[in-house]
Amino acid sequence: MLAQLLPFLTATILLTLTPGPDIIYVLVQGMANGKKHAIVTALGLVSGVVVHTTLVAFGVSAVIKQSETIFVIIKCLGAAYLFYLAYNVFKSDPDIAFSAEGIKQKSLFGLYRQGFIMNVLNPKVTIFFLALFPGFLWDPEGNTVLQFYILGLIFMFQALLIFSLVAILAGNISKYLQKHRKSGVVLKWIQIFAFIGIGVFILI
């Protein structure tokens, strides 16, 4: 079990740390409205993970019970999708563009709701979970639904912790990124190697 969970935790931490819409949105909220509003935004984003985990857990678990071959195909397709993401990152601009201008302050509940809706309505999150989670099941013959939820909770916990740190340190992070423009290149290659590494791990 630990042989699967530790690599999963490492992989998700690396992926959460790399620039993406969610973490940049938390960063911008922290810059514009302060750490409390940014942390509530992070809570909304992370809460949406429950929905995606549920969809993947019950959908893939049903497939596993029907055919082990189809489950292997799902894992192979998942690895291929991660390689595709790595290729897209490779082609992308390494510059991190963010701005706190024009961000209006909302109520805490409004920010939580917006973060939740942003996450739930993003189909790429479900696809990403579908690609990532099956490769880290430690007992495909056991209770796979429970295993998916454990993976989902680990993902939520580390994401909330990292997003909260970003919220608290938003001012310092934004100043650093503006001062060190080449940091985007480093983060870009970390993301590429993370996607490729996770894809290879799933295959083997």
Side-chain angles (χ1 to χ4, degrees):
M1 180 175 173
L2 285 177
Q4 296 293 90
L5 292 182
L6 290 178
F8 177 79
L9 178 60
T10 303
T12 53
I13 288 173
L14 283 174
L15 293 173
T16 303
L17 283 170
T18 53
D22 289 352
I23 198 167
I24 290 177
Y25 186 63
V26 172
L27 177 61
V28 169
Q29 284 294 337
M31 291 164 55
N33 299 316
K35 61 183 179 182
K36 182 169 70 173
H37 288 75
I39 290 173
V40 171
T41 301
L43 280 169
L45 290 166
V46 170
S47 297
V49 169
V50 176
V51 176
H52 298 288
T53 300
T54 300
L55 292 174
V56 172
F58 286 95
V60 177
S61 293
V63 170
I64 292 173
K65 291 178 181 178
Q66 290 179 359
S67 171
E68 185 177 343
T69 302
I70 295 177
F71 177 58
V72 172
I73 292 173
I74 288 176
K75 292 206 297 183
C76 290
L77 290 175
Y81 179 68
L82 292 170
F83 295 149
Y84 169 73
L85 292 179
Y87 175 68
N88 279 345
V89 174
F90 174 74
K91 292 194 304 178
S92 67
D93 187 348
D95 291 335
I96 302 172
F98 60 88
S99 174
E101 294 180 6
I103 300 295
K104 296 181 180 178
Q105 187 168 348
K106 295 185 176 182
S107 67
L108 293 178
F109 177 74
L111 283 172
Y112 176 86
R113 181 179 58 192
Q114 183 171 336
F116 179 80
I117 292 173
M118 277 178 59
N119 188 279
V120 170
L121 296 185
N122 186 353
K124 291 183 180 179
V125 178
T126 298
I127 295 172
F128 179 74
F129 279 20
L130 182 60
L132 183 68
F133 281 25
F136 289 93
L137 294 177
W138 55 91
D139 183 15
E141 302 297 326
N143 188 338
T144 51
V145 171
L146 176 61
Q147 293 175 59
F148 275 119
Y149 274 110
I150 290 173
L151 293 175
L153 287 172
I154 291 172
F155 188 95
M156 290 173 65
F157 177 77
Q158 64 83 27
L160 180 59
L161 181 61
I162 291 173
F163 285 170
S164 296
L165 288 173
V166 168
I168 294 169
L169 302 173
N172 294 333
I173 293 172
S174 63
K175 288 177 183 177
Y176 180 86
L177 292 176
Q178 288 170 351
K179 187 176 180 180
H180 300 84
R181 290 294 181 180
K182 290 187 178 179
S183 59
V185 177
V186 176
L187 292 171
K188 172 180 176 176
W189 282 101
I190 289 175
Q191 195 172 16
I192 290 171
F193 286 125
F195 280 135
I196 293 174
I198 297 167
V200 171
F201 182 87
I202 288 174
L203 289 176
I204 63 176

